[in-house]
Amino acid sequence: MEVKIDPQWKKVLQKEFSANYFQQIPHHLRTEKSQGKIIYPPGSQIFNAFDTTPFDKVKVVILGQDPYHGPGQANGLCFSVKKNIRIPPSLINIFKELKDDIGLSMPSHGDLTHWAQQGVFLLNASLTVRAGEPMSHAQIGWAQFTDAVIRTISMQKENIVFLLWGRFAQNKITLIDTTKHFVLQAAHPSPLSAHNGFLGCRHFSKTNEYLVGHKIEPIDWTI
């Protein structure tokens, strides 16, 4: 399968794209579509995180679980939605923390493309999902692929900030060389858990303090 993706990522992940497990993913998606299943995000946006944040631009990694599974929500960037879509509860809590941490007012939309363009790699562990069925594509090969992505970033880059929110993301710490990267962990921003340590974590200011301390341009967290 020919993968349409940013050339830098295509080069560093070539081994994964040619692996048998990866070849099965498009077959699985085509089969489901032929059965009338609706899959998010649209095909052109499955690799949006990679296309918006080329490999050499990555400064920060935020890891999500899988795409939003409601109509029109997913845009290929974790936690992000298209501009005309209602802001989901987890993202509202992210914006609340931004306000408390660095004083940003609540945005009018939830499109995080501006972050991604600056080097915030917004990666979901699964890059697709069936409509209305969270985690429905967790076992079709995406997890193996995105684990390899995290491992590749860890091995080939240095001084990356990894923001691991919630137990699922925190389990990925085994893929990261913590001796040369900065890992921040907190509860998931979901309304079910945000009050257990996400709100008040100050990850956004801590991220920029680390970047500036390593002579790396900080992130403008406005959207």
Side-chain angles (χ1 to χ4, degrees), residues 3-18:
V3 179
K4 295 179 180 177
I5 191 173
D6 175 82
Q8 294 178 8
W9 284 110
K10 195 165 190 175
K11 182 178 179 181
V12 298
L13 297 173
Q14 189 56 52
K15 178 183 173 186
E16 303 306 316
F17 291 135
S18 58

Side-chain angles (χ1 to χ4, degrees), residues 102-118:
I102 57 177
L104 290 185
S105 56
M106 183 68 70
S108 61
H109 65 86
D111 186 346
L112 304 181
T113 298
H114 183 232
W115 294 4
Q117 290 170 337
Q118 297 176 77

Side-chain angles (χ1 to χ4, degrees), residues 78-124:
C78 75
F79 293 106
S80 175
V81 291
K82 298 172 185 176
K83 288 186 176 177
N84 59 340
I85 296 293
R86 183 178 178 182
I87 302 174
S90 291
L91 187 53
I92 287 175
N93 282 332
I94 290 171
F95 290 157
K96 284 180 180 177
E97 178 57 25
L98 271 166
K99 185 176 190 300
D100 291 343
D101 185 8
I102 57 177
L104 290 185
S105 56
M106 183 68 70
S108 61
H109 65 86
D111 186 346
L112 304 181
T113 298
H114 183 232
W115 294 4
Q117 290 170 337
Q118 297 176 77
V120 182
F121 186 48
L122 298 167
L123 179 67
N124 276 315

Side-chain angles (χ1 to χ4, degrees), residues 32-48:
E32 288 197 0
K33 285 183 178 180
S34 71
Q35 296 168 347
K37 305 286 187 184
I38 298 173
I39 295 171
Y40 299 129
S44 62
Q45 293 190 310
I46 290 175
F47 291 103
N48 190 22

Side-chain angles (χ1 to χ4, degrees), residues 148-217:
V149 172
I150 297 167
R151 201 179 294 112
T152 298
I153 293 171
S154 177
M155 287 191 304
Q156 297 194 24
K157 300 181 77 68
E158 57 185 33
N159 300 326
I160 301 297
V161 181
F162 288 87
L163 303 183
L164 306 182
W165 298 335
R167 188 171 300 167
F168 177 87
Q170 289 163 12
N171 286 339
K172 303 296 184 179
I173 197 169
T174 58
L175 306 170
I176 302 165
D177 182 349
T178 57
T179 66
K180 63 173 185 169
H181 302 292
F182 186 44
V183 178
L184 291 169
Q185 302 185 62
H188 194 277
S190 159
L192 299 175
S193 57
H195 291 280
N196 294 330
F198 177 79
L199 296 175
C201 69
R202 303 187 65 83
H203 279 186
F204 303 101
S205 60
K206 289 177 181 177
T207 292
N208 278 350
E209 286 167 9
Y210 178 86
L211 293 175
V212 170
H214 288 80
K215 296 182 171 53
I216 300 168
E217 186 76 20

